Amino acid sequence: MTNIKRAVLAATVSVVALASAATADVKIAFIDPLSGPFGPSGDAAFTSYKLAFEKLNAAGGLNGEQVELTGYDNKISPKESLVQLQKAIDSGVRYVFQGNGSSVSAAIIDAVSKHNARNPGEEVLFLNYAAVTPAFTNEACSFWHFRFDAHADMKMNAITDYILARGDINKVYLIGQDYVFGEAVAAAAVKQLGEKNSAIEIVGNELHPLGKVKDFTPYIQKIQSSGAQAVITGNWGQDMVLLVKAAADSGLTIPFLTFYGGSVGAVAALGEGAMGTLYQVNEGITNLEASPEQYALIEEYKDRFPDYDYYYHRAFLAVDMLKAAAEKAGSTDPIAVANALEGLSINGAYGPITMRAEDHQAQQNLYISTVSDDVKYGVDNIKLGWKLVDGGSVSAASAEEPTTCKMERP
Amino acid sequence: METIVFSLLNGTIYGLLLFMLSSGLTLIFSMMGVLNFAHASFYMLGAYCAYTIMGVTNFWLALLLAPILVGAVGMGVERWGLRKVHANGHVAELLFTFGLAYLIDEVVKIIWGRTSVNYKVPESLDFTLFTLYGSNYPAYRIFILFVSIFMLVSLWYLLKKTRVGLIIQAALTHPHMVGHLGHNVPLVFMGVFGAGCALAGLAGVIGGNYFITDPAMAVQMGPIVFVVVVVGGLGSLEGAFVAAMLIGILQTSAVSINASFADIFGFLGMTATSEVGGITIASLAPMLPFLMLVLILIVKPTGLMGDREV
Amino acid sequence: MTEVSINPAALGPTASAKFRERVLPFILFGMVLVAIPFFGPSRTTMTLLNHIGINIVFALSYNMLLGRAGLLSFGHAVYLGLGGYFCVHILNWIDAADGGFWGNLPVFSMPIFGFAMGAAAGAVIGWPSCKRAGTAFAMISLGVAELMSAGAFMFDSLFGGEMGISGDRMAGPDFLGLSLGPLADVYWFIAFWTFFGVVAMFAFTRTPLGKLSEATRDNPERVQFIGYNPTRVRYLVFIFAGAFAGMAGGMSSVQDEIFTPENLSLIPSGAILIAAYVGGIRYFSGPIMGAIVMTYMGSNLSDYTAGWLLYLGLMFICVVMFVPDGIAGLVFGFWRGVRSPNRSEVFGKWAWQVSGVVLMIVSIIIIVEVAFRWSDGYGEVFEPFGLALSHTSILTWILAFVPLAAGVVLMRHAAAKYEEA
């Protein structure tokens, strides 16, 4: 607990200088909820970036320049995010990380494009590590936006393939948060299930208010009476935790196929009941085979931030790619770095990651995992942890989706 | 059928929690004319205090101590804050409690952090009581039901059958007359304010782990409690009870209704793809209490069962 | 007994007094607005100034209700929000238009549309709410605010859901050579409309309706006796207050280019209530001071201390309890004191009070800052002026509570000594 408070406090006071201010050359802003219902989600990512940039600075920095990371609390509000973005830009920030909430990302993409058009020579890059509404790298794509996480259609593809492969699920229930991301998840599920196997029936398709529901029991009872055999949800943060908590209380034990089952506290809320019922699809879990360096990193993170677990692997990937791009460009100028990022490919701990040039969507392996008690690393400070399911590994090539992006380059 | 049973059951529990909160506010409001904006903050304090006490000792002690603690804080607020502002009129009192709500929010954030705390249902109550239509029913909910009913009965007994209750009742309607009769009205005020806050604290103790204990719980609960008090009618505990149950059941059952406007007004040619037609009853749930508030104030300003205008 | 005839004209203020009180402040205000850009403010300052301008208009419009008409509203942000939303939609129409009315409309005119929308919203919502004053009015405004912000999530094409609606202020033709792209351009836009809004709202207080609204606040029955309908007076004032709030919304739509449903909620309404009240609702200039102080605190104090909202709450409570006239009351009280004949005695009293207050503030700051650092467990130590105050040291708690006690004693002493004065 103290860790959360500590990080949040430090972030809100904006004193989180990773390098001493005198040597900081590149200022980077992290804009995400650091308080409220989604505070733990933002904070878990913030701590990941903190560690990643500390390591980067220790290894010589971004193309030789030291990096200063500052956290800004946006309270998950798009308007507040723009106020914080303006504040960050005014203080000299040229790179912005954000991920929680596609509603926020849409506002930031828009604001960054406007800012760059109005202030030539002071361009800002937006590095999105978690907002996965497909539109951002399709019809609404922007040169200033790079996404390091697989988007909703890609993840849903992995989930629907898995449902078909299992063969024991004929009725699914869709529940999600009522905003652009939840809508995108529901649309992807309906479309893909319809195309792949029309025998699978969608018995419910429901959106609830974002971050406002305190008791999901009525929703769970609706799921129970619908006769669903599985639930697909894109919920994250508190909405994820409370959803599975209510399910556990009401004795609903059907599989939950999620994007963000790894949200802080979800496994702990379910306890033993999570085994074989909670599934997630993401870019890598701690219990995959990896190099000793990766294991050391996972342990160092847990050691530094005992309230969280190594979850935001893509945060470390994003920093690695940023570093590689800066070195390739030989500069930390945002436009040069953006051009260098296009088509860039590096080797991550769980497979290669490539930034597709035509839409700025990262292509990487996806893994479907479920909770197990037979694991190397547990989560939420209990012994349960994430374990790959049989056939749960999806290669980057097969996870790839076409894009409709028509990129306008400066 | 099962939907109706579950909605009624969960709605009743939510309604009783609401009543526990609003009974205190009604007492305070009708006696002192102060709409205590910080009332829900005392609810939050109750939950957080219980969390801390439970961490040190156990839940049962928290159930006893936390409301007393919150009540004491409430009395202090009345004695050294509200009484001073009283001379400046009702608006100043309202604003004072409004500022107090800000203050309590911030103090809670300092002490317990900005994100939710893990205030859990005690293990002795964390089991499935019965299974209904294939769905488990947690024992803790029934526990809430019993605590609320117990509180309700004791409050009723206190007000109707004891001398203290008689004075309070008299002060509710005729505060000046009670003063003239030689009773220490400021003391009564302080006591009632403290007791009202303690009730809110108790609601926090049992509601905090049923819902979630975070710094936003006061802001989310506060306006709904006002709605209950105003809709129920000033000075009327019965009214507050009816309003609380009404809102509890209405809000809970609205969530379980899948019908959209298009289904209801389809005969007018409204389609489910249109913006208005696509609105479901479930999504109306958060608006319902406030719709009720505005309508009641316009149509019947005395509230459902009150005899005084707001 | 001789007939005393009074010439009403002679009772009024002289021409020079009129100029001094009603014209001169505005000339000075305008000069300050024009002068600011010549000091070359940074972008951060520019953004802050723009928000201050918006909040000045918003707070003044709020005070038309609370200060002038005695109507306590918890939902004034609804009108700012609706006006702002309307303007963001217009920004998008301008952007999409190819000639025609929208295509030729300069973005500079947005506050006019915000004004119209605010007035329309005030006219619709005000009709049922203005039938009652007092607590009933406050409760209705609260209900309306919650209703609007919850309802806004249902109509995505109007309010944009969680995402809100954003626009582009650079759309449409330039006006007066302002493209409104750079912040400096936006500053001129905000400055113009702030000045216009302040003058217009001051002028409103001089109209018969403005005067009647104050009469209705003080005694609605007597207003009725002299033949006016208090409900109607309240309703008209309400429409104007909504309109000026909508105008602030129009200004905000250009500065921030985005509106989200939470703009309509209780939180911004509560913030403007605090700003107006802390500034001083009994003075016209009070809300202006309140808006400046609050916006500055919200933007800058948060960089220095995590407890800024706590200070804000404390400040608000202190104003409610001890200084009901707010900052403006203090400023004008000081001015009166300086000019009063028994200056020395007044100064003596102030000296006692100010030293008492300063001592109390010092100890409150120490308590809050030490508590913050203690609770976060970061091991960080509060170090004002190089003095390390850890929560484990006795010195800290002496420094925290001795000034507090001393301050209370000083205040009591001042109260007792100057009671008769």
Side-chain angles (χ1 to χ4, degrees), chain A residues 295-325:
Chain A
Y295 285 140
L297 177 66
I298 292 170
E299 279 154 26
E300 185 182 352
Y301 179 84
K302 185 72 190 171
D303 199 42
R304 283 278 303 277
F305 309 106
D307 291 331
Y308 304 120
D309 300 289
Y310 184 89
Y311 170 73
Y312 282 101
H313 177 56
R314 51 189 181 272
F316 294 89
L317 285 178
V319 173
D320 285 347
M321 287 196 88
L322 187 63
K323 180 177 193 240

mmCIF file of all heavy atoms in Angstrom, chain A residues 295-325:
data_model
loop_
_atom_site.group_PDB
_atom_site.id
_atom_site.type_symbol
_atom_site.label_atom_id
_atom_site.label_comp_id
_atom_site.label_asym_id
_atom_site.label_seq_id
_atom_site.Cartn_x
_atom_site.Cartn_y
_atom_site.Cartn_z
ATOM 1 N N TYR A 295 14.568 -13.053 -16.237
ATOM 2 C CA TYR A 295 14.178 -13.486 -14.884
ATOM 3 C C TYR A 295 14.695 -12.496 -13.846
ATOM 4 O O TYR A 295 14.008 -12.152 -12.890
ATOM 5 C CB TYR A 295 14.722 -14.892 -14.594
ATOM 6 C CG TYR A 295 13.965 -15.986 -15.311
ATOM 7 C CD1 TYR A 295 14.633 -17.066 -15.877
ATOM 8 C CD2 TYR A 295 12.572 -15.958 -15.403
ATOM 9 C CE1 TYR A 295 13.948 -18.079 -16.530
ATOM 10 C CE2 TYR A 295 11.877 -16.956 -16.057
ATOM 11 C CZ TYR A 295 12.559 -18.017 -16.618
ATOM 12 O OH TYR A 295 11.872 -18.993 -17.251
ATOM 13 N N ALA A 296 15.938 -12.030 -14.064
ATOM 14 C CA ALA A 296 16.514 -11.077 -13.118
ATOM 15 C C ALA A 296 15.702 -9.791 -13.101
ATOM 16 O O ALA A 296 15.451 -9.200 -12.035
ATOM 17 C CB ALA A 296 17.960 -10.782 -13.496
ATOM 18 N N LEU A 297 15.248 -9.368 -14.299
ATOM 19 C CA LEU A 297 14.456 -8.144 -14.397
ATOM 20 C C LEU A 297 13.133 -8.307 -13.649
ATOM 21 O O LEU A 297 12.707 -7.429 -12.888
ATOM 22 C CB LEU A 297 14.196 -7.812 -15.870
ATOM 23 C CG LEU A 297 13.313 -6.591 -16.144
ATOM 24 C CD1 LEU A 297 14.006 -5.320 -15.698
ATOM 25 C CD2 LEU A 297 12.971 -6.493 -17.625
ATOM 26 N N ILE A 298 12.477 -9.463 -13.858
ATOM 27 C CA ILE A 298 11.206 -9.727 -13.194
ATOM 28 C C ILE A 298 11.385 -9.661 -11.683
ATOM 29 O O ILE A 298 10.591 -9.042 -10.967
ATOM 30 C CB ILE A 298 10.673 -11.126 -13.607
ATOM 31 C CG1 ILE A 298 10.277 -11.121 -15.077
ATOM 32 C CG2 ILE A 298 9.501 -11.539 -12.731
ATOM 33 C CD1 ILE A 298 9.977 -12.495 -15.634
ATOM 34 N N GLU A 299 12.474 -10.259 -11.212
ATOM 35 C CA GLU A 299 12.691 -10.286 -9.763
ATOM 36 C C GLU A 299 13.061 -8.911 -9.229
ATOM 37 O O GLU A 299 12.641 -8.518 -8.141
ATOM 38 C CB GLU A 299 13.762 -11.333 -9.423
ATOM 39 C CG GLU A 299 13.158 -12.736 -9.380
ATOM 40 C CD GLU A 299 14.152 -13.849 -9.677
ATOM 41 O OE1 GLU A 299 15.352 -13.636 -9.448
ATOM 42 O OE2 GLU A 299 13.701 -14.915 -10.152
ATOM 43 N N GLU A 300 13.823 -8.176 -10.019
ATOM 44 C CA GLU A 300 14.187 -6.833 -9.569
ATOM 45 C C GLU A 300 12.936 -5.953 -9.457
ATOM 46 O O GLU A 300 12.774 -5.197 -8.502
ATOM 47 C CB GLU A 300 15.186 -6.194 -10.542
ATOM 48 C CG GLU A 300 15.674 -4.841 -10.046
ATOM 49 C CD GLU A 300 16.622 -4.151 -11.007
ATOM 50 O OE1 GLU A 300 17.023 -4.787 -12.009
ATOM 51 O OE2 GLU A 300 16.939 -2.975 -10.760
ATOM 52 N N TYR A 301 12.056 -6.080 -10.444
ATOM 53 C CA TYR A 301 10.826 -5.279 -10.408
ATOM 54 C C TYR A 301 10.025 -5.605 -9.155
ATOM 55 O O TYR A 301 9.572 -4.724 -8.424
ATOM 56 C CB TYR A 301 9.991 -5.528 -11.669
ATOM 57 C CG TYR A 301 8.692 -4.745 -11.663
ATOM 58 C CD1 TYR A 301 8.668 -3.422 -12.083
ATOM 59 C CD2 TYR A 301 7.522 -5.306 -11.187
ATOM 60 C CE1 TYR A 301 7.512 -2.680 -12.032
ATOM 61 C CE2 TYR A 301 6.353 -4.576 -11.134
ATOM 62 C CZ TYR A 301 6.343 -3.261 -11.557
ATOM 63 O OH TYR A 301 5.194 -2.525 -11.491
ATOM 64 N N LYS A 302 9.840 -6.917 -8.899
ATOM 65 C CA LYS A 302 9.043 -7.336 -7.745
ATOM 66 C C LYS A 302 9.682 -6.841 -6.452
ATOM 67 O O LYS A 302 9.004 -6.453 -5.501
ATOM 68 C CB LYS A 302 8.926 -8.860 -7.742
ATOM 69 C CG LYS A 302 8.033 -9.409 -6.659
ATOM 70 C CD LYS A 302 6.581 -9.126 -6.972
ATOM 71 C CE LYS A 302 5.683 -9.440 -5.787
ATOM 72 N NZ LYS A 302 4.316 -8.983 -6.005
ATOM 73 N N ASP A 303 11.006 -6.848 -6.460
ATOM 74 C CA ASP A 303 11.737 -6.421 -5.287
ATOM 75 C C ASP A 303 11.533 -4.934 -5.019
ATOM 76 O O ASP A 303 11.334 -4.507 -3.884
ATOM 77 C CB ASP A 303 13.225 -6.723 -5.536
ATOM 78 C CG ASP A 303 13.990 -6.750 -4.247
ATOM 79 O OD1 ASP A 303 13.448 -7.316 -3.283
ATOM 80 O OD2 ASP A 303 15.104 -6.199 -4.208
ATOM 81 N N ARG A 304 11.571 -4.168 -6.093
ATOM 82 C CA ARG A 304 11.417 -2.715 -5.944
ATOM 83 C C ARG A 304 9.983 -2.316 -5.639
ATOM 84 O O ARG A 304 9.716 -1.376 -4.900
ATOM 85 C CB ARG A 304 11.849 -2.020 -7.243
ATOM 86 C CG ARG A 304 13.336 -1.919 -7.445
ATOM 87 C CD ARG A 304 13.925 -0.744 -6.682
ATOM 88 N NE ARG A 304 13.314 0.521 -7.029
ATOM 89 C CZ ARG A 304 13.658 1.256 -8.086
ATOM 90 N NH1 ARG A 304 14.594 0.828 -8.891
ATOM 91 N NH2 ARG A 304 13.062 2.409 -8.318
ATOM 92 N N PHE A 305 9.036 -2.999 -6.283
ATOM 93 C CA PHE A 305 7.630 -2.597 -6.161
ATOM 94 C C PHE A 305 6.794 -3.794 -5.712
ATOM 95 O O PHE A 305 6.090 -4.409 -6.510
ATOM 96 C CB PHE A 305 7.116 -2.048 -7.494
ATOM 97 C CG PHE A 305 7.989 -0.983 -8.078
ATOM 98 C CD1 PHE A 305 8.808 -1.244 -9.166
ATOM 99 C CD2 PHE A 305 8.022 0.285 -7.526
ATOM 100 C CE1 PHE A 305 9.629 -0.271 -9.697
ATOM 101 C CE2 PHE A 305 8.841 1.264 -8.038
ATOM 102 C CZ PHE A 305 9.651 0.991 -9.132
ATOM 103 N N PRO A 306 6.868 -4.129 -4.438
ATOM 104 C CA PRO A 306 6.247 -5.379 -3.972
ATOM 105 C C PRO A 306 4.723 -5.407 -4.124
ATOM 106 O O PRO A 306 4.133 -6.490 -4.082
ATOM 107 C CB PRO A 306 6.650 -5.445 -2.494
ATOM 108 C CG PRO A 306 7.314 -4.184 -2.175
ATOM 109 C CD PRO A 306 7.587 -3.412 -3.398
ATOM 110 N N ASP A 307 4.081 -4.260 -4.326
ATOM 111 C CA ASP A 307 2.621 -4.269 -4.470
ATOM 112 C C ASP A 307 2.194 -4.778 -5.841
ATOM 113 O O ASP A 307 1.052 -5.141 -6.044
ATOM 114 C CB ASP A 307 2.060 -2.856 -4.284
ATOM 115 C CG ASP A 307 2.191 -2.404 -2.856
ATOM 116 O OD1 ASP A 307 2.174 -3.290 -1.981
ATOM 117 O OD2 ASP A 307 2.318 -1.196 -2.600
ATOM 118 N N TYR A 308 3.102 -4.717 -6.801
ATOM 119 C CA TYR A 308 2.743 -5.082 -8.173
ATOM 120 C C TYR A 308 3.571 -6.267 -8.635
ATOM 121 O O TYR A 308 4.484 -6.712 -7.960
ATOM 122 C CB TYR A 308 2.968 -3.897 -9.114
ATOM 123 C CG TYR A 308 2.235 -2.656 -8.705
ATOM 124 C CD1 TYR A 308 2.908 -1.476 -8.418
ATOM 125 C CD2 TYR A 308 0.844 -2.669 -8.599
ATOM 126 C CE1 TYR A 308 2.223 -0.342 -8.032
ATOM 127 C CE2 TYR A 308 0.157 -1.531 -8.209
ATOM 128 C CZ TYR A 308 0.853 -0.369 -7.930
ATOM 129 O OH TYR A 308 0.172 0.743 -7.549
ATOM 130 N N ASP A 309 3.217 -6.749 -9.826
ATOM 131 C CA ASP A 309 3.991 -7.810 -10.431
ATOM 132 C C ASP A 309 4.465 -7.347 -11.798
ATOM 133 O O ASP A 309 3.893 -6.427 -12.371
ATOM 134 C CB ASP A 309 3.124 -9.063 -10.594
ATOM 135 C CG ASP A 309 2.614 -9.542 -9.259
ATOM 136 O OD1 ASP A 309 3.419 -10.055 -8.482
ATOM 137 O OD2 ASP A 309 1.413 -9.360 -8.982
ATOM 138 N N TYR A 310 5.480 -8.011 -12.294
ATOM 139 C CA TYR A 310 5.958 -7.696 -13.629
ATOM 140 C C TYR A 310 4.841 -8.040 -14.606
ATOM 141 O O TYR A 310 4.550 -9.197 -14.866
ATOM 142 C CB TYR A 310 7.213 -8.517 -13.932
ATOM 143 C CG TYR A 310 7.842 -8.197 -15.265
ATOM 144 C CD1 TYR A 310 8.799 -7.200 -15.374
ATOM 145 C CD2 TYR A 310 7.482 -8.897 -16.409
ATOM 146 C CE1 TYR A 310 9.379 -6.915 -16.594
ATOM 147 C CE2 TYR A 310 8.055 -8.604 -17.635
ATOM 148 C CZ TYR A 310 9.001 -7.613 -17.717
ATOM 149 O OH TYR A 310 9.569 -7.329 -18.922
ATOM 150 N N TYR A 311 4.153 -7.029 -15.104
ATOM 151 C CA TYR A 311 2.999 -7.255 -15.972
ATOM 152 C C TYR A 311 3.146 -6.490 -17.275
ATOM 153 O O TYR A 311 2.855 -6.999 -18.342
ATOM 154 C CB TYR A 311 1.722 -6.834 -15.240
ATOM 155 C CG TYR A 311 0.481 -6.803 -16.108
ATOM 156 C CD1 TYR A 311 -0.119 -7.999 -16.515
ATOM 157 C CD2 TYR A 311 -0.065 -5.603 -16.552
ATOM 158 C CE1 TYR A 311 -1.241 -7.974 -17.322
ATOM 159 C CE2 TYR A 311 -1.183 -5.584 -17.362
ATOM 160 C CZ TYR A 311 -1.770 -6.761 -17.749
ATOM 161 O OH TYR A 311 -2.877 -6.750 -18.558
ATOM 162 N N TYR A 312 3.615 -5.240 -17.164
ATOM 163 C CA TYR A 312 3.712 -4.404 -18.365
ATOM 164 C C TYR A 312 5.017 -4.684 -19.105
ATOM 165 O O TYR A 312 5.899 -3.829 -19.176
ATOM 166 C CB TYR A 312 3.601 -2.923 -17.978
ATOM 167 C CG TYR A 312 2.177 -2.518 -17.704
ATOM 168 C CD1 TYR A 312 1.705 -2.390 -16.403
ATOM 169 C CD2 TYR A 312 1.291 -2.271 -18.743
ATOM 170 C CE1 TYR A 312 0.391 -2.027 -16.159
ATOM 171 C CE2 TYR A 312 -0.020 -1.907 -18.502
ATOM 172 C CZ TYR A 312 -0.465 -1.794 -17.210
ATOM 173 O OH TYR A 312 -1.763 -1.434 -16.984
ATOM 174 N N HIS A 313 5.117 -5.881 -19.648
ATOM 175 C CA HIS A 313 6.294 -6.222 -20.436
ATOM 176 C C HIS A 313 6.467 -5.228 -21.573
ATOM 177 O O HIS A 313 7.573 -4.838 -21.929
ATOM 178 C CB HIS A 313 6.121 -7.645 -20.980
ATOM 179 C CG HIS A 313 7.242 -8.088 -21.861
ATOM 180 N ND1 HIS A 313 8.555 -8.078 -21.442
ATOM 181 C CD2 HIS A 313 7.255 -8.529 -23.137
ATOM 182 C CE1 HIS A 313 9.325 -8.497 -22.429
ATOM 183 N NE2 HIS A 313 8.563 -8.782 -23.464
ATOM 184 N N ARG A 314 5.331 -4.794 -22.155
ATOM 185 C CA ARG A 314 5.419 -3.889 -23.305
ATOM 186 C C ARG A 314 5.997 -2.535 -22.929
ATOM 187 O O ARG A 314 6.492 -1.817 -23.801
ATOM 188 C CB ARG A 314 4.050 -3.732 -23.959
ATOM 189 C CG ARG A 314 2.942 -3.372 -23.009
ATOM 190 C CD ARG A 314 1.609 -3.467 -23.716
ATOM 191 N NE ARG A 314 0.502 -3.108 -22.861
ATOM 192 C CZ ARG A 314 -0.146 -3.948 -22.068
ATOM 193 N NH1 ARG A 314 0.214 -5.209 -22.023
ATOM 194 N NH2 ARG A 314 -1.148 -3.540 -21.327
ATOM 195 N N ALA A 315 5.930 -2.163 -21.635
ATOM 196 C CA ALA A 315 6.570 -0.913 -21.228
ATOM 197 C C ALA A 315 8.068 -1.017 -21.443
ATOM 198 O O ALA A 315 8.709 -0.099 -21.966
ATOM 199 C CB ALA A 315 6.255 -0.620 -19.763
ATOM 200 N N PHE A 316 8.636 -2.173 -21.063
ATOM 201 C CA PHE A 316 10.073 -2.367 -21.245
ATOM 202 C C PHE A 316 10.413 -2.464 -22.733
ATOM 203 O O PHE A 316 11.425 -1.932 -23.187
ATOM 204 C CB PHE A 316 10.529 -3.618 -20.489
ATOM 205 C CG PHE A 316 10.403 -3.466 -19.002
ATOM 206 C CD1 PHE A 316 9.227 -3.806 -18.344
ATOM 207 C CD2 PHE A 316 11.442 -2.931 -18.264
ATOM 208 C CE1 PHE A 316 9.109 -3.643 -16.977
ATOM 209 C CE2 PHE A 316 11.327 -2.755 -16.897
ATOM 210 C CZ PHE A 316 10.151 -3.119 -16.252
ATOM 211 N N LEU A 317 9.533 -3.141 -23.497
ATOM 212 C CA LEU A 317 9.752 -3.234 -24.944
ATOM 213 C C LEU A 317 9.740 -1.848 -25.578
ATOM 214 O O LEU A 317 10.565 -1.537 -26.429
ATOM 215 C CB LEU A 317 8.658 -4.100 -25.587
ATOM 216 C CG LEU A 317 8.759 -5.602 -25.377
ATOM 217 C CD1 LEU A 317 7.565 -6.294 -26.029
ATOM 218 C CD2 LEU A 317 10.065 -6.141 -25.974
ATOM 219 N N ALA A 318 8.774 -1.026 -25.149
ATOM 220 C CA ALA A 318 8.646 0.314 -25.742
ATOM 221 C C ALA A 318 9.913 1.123 -25.486
ATOM 222 O O ALA A 318 10.410 1.814 -26.378
ATOM 223 C CB ALA A 318 7.417 1.022 -25.177
ATOM 224 N N VAL A 319 10.444 1.034 -24.264
ATOM 225 C CA VAL A 319 11.655 1.786 -23.950
ATOM 226 C C VAL A 319 12.839 1.252 -24.763
ATOM 227 O O VAL A 319 13.640 2.028 -25.299
ATOM 228 C CB VAL A 319 11.931 1.734 -22.432
ATOM 229 C CG1 VAL A 319 13.283 2.360 -22.121
ATOM 230 C CG2 VAL A 319 10.829 2.455 -21.682
ATOM 231 N N ASP A 320 12.918 -0.083 -24.892
ATOM 232 C CA ASP A 320 13.993 -0.657 -25.700
ATOM 233 C C ASP A 320 13.915 -0.183 -27.150
ATOM 234 O O ASP A 320 14.932 0.126 -27.779
ATOM 235 C CB ASP A 320 13.913 -2.191 -25.664
ATOM 236 C CG ASP A 320 14.398 -2.740 -24.325
ATOM 237 O OD1 ASP A 320 15.007 -1.952 -23.567
ATOM 238 O OD2 ASP A 320 14.150 -3.919 -24.044
ATOM 239 N N MET A 321 12.677 -0.142 -27.665
ATOM 240 C CA MET A 321 12.525 0.284 -29.068
ATOM 241 C C MET A 321 12.868 1.750 -29.225
ATOM 242 O O MET A 321 13.481 2.157 -30.216
ATOM 243 C CB MET A 321 11.093 0.025 -29.551
ATOM 244 C CG MET A 321 10.807 -1.448 -29.777
ATOM 245 S SD MET A 321 9.327 -1.698 -30.758
ATOM 246 C CE MET A 321 9.970 -1.646 -32.412
ATOM 247 N N LEU A 322 12.464 2.542 -28.231
ATOM 248 C CA LEU A 322 12.766 3.978 -28.287
ATOM 249 C C LEU A 322 14.278 4.173 -28.317
ATOM 250 O O LEU A 322 14.810 4.981 -29.089
ATOM 251 C CB LEU A 322 12.152 4.665 -27.069
ATOM 252 C CG LEU A 322 12.206 6.182 -27.034
ATOM 253 C CD1 LEU A 322 11.395 6.753 -28.192
ATOM 254 C CD2 LEU A 322 11.651 6.706 -25.719
ATOM 255 N N LYS A 323 14.969 3.396 -27.503
ATOM 256 C CA LYS A 323 16.417 3.495 -27.429
ATOM 257 C C LYS A 323 17.043 3.109 -28.777
ATOM 258 O O LYS A 323 17.883 3.827 -29.323
ATOM 259 C CB LYS A 323 16.913 2.555 -26.327
ATOM 260 C CG LYS A 323 18.406 2.565 -26.144
ATOM 261 C CD LYS A 323 18.798 1.652 -24.988
ATOM 262 C CE LYS A 323 20.235 1.893 -24.607
ATOM 263 N NZ LYS A 323 21.081 0.739 -24.726
ATOM 264 N N ALA A 324 16.584 1.975 -29.313
ATOM 265 C CA ALA A 324 17.125 1.518 -30.591
ATOM 266 C C ALA A 324 16.870 2.543 -31.688
ATOM 267 O O ALA A 324 17.742 2.812 -32.524
ATOM 268 C CB ALA A 324 16.505 0.167 -30.962
ATOM 269 N N ALA A 325 15.671 3.133 -31.657
ATOM 270 C CA ALA A 325 15.320 4.107 -32.695
ATOM 271 C C ALA A 325 16.195 5.351 -32.587
ATOM 272 O O ALA A 325 16.672 5.886 -33.589
ATOM 273 C CB ALA A 325 13.847 4.478 -32.581
#
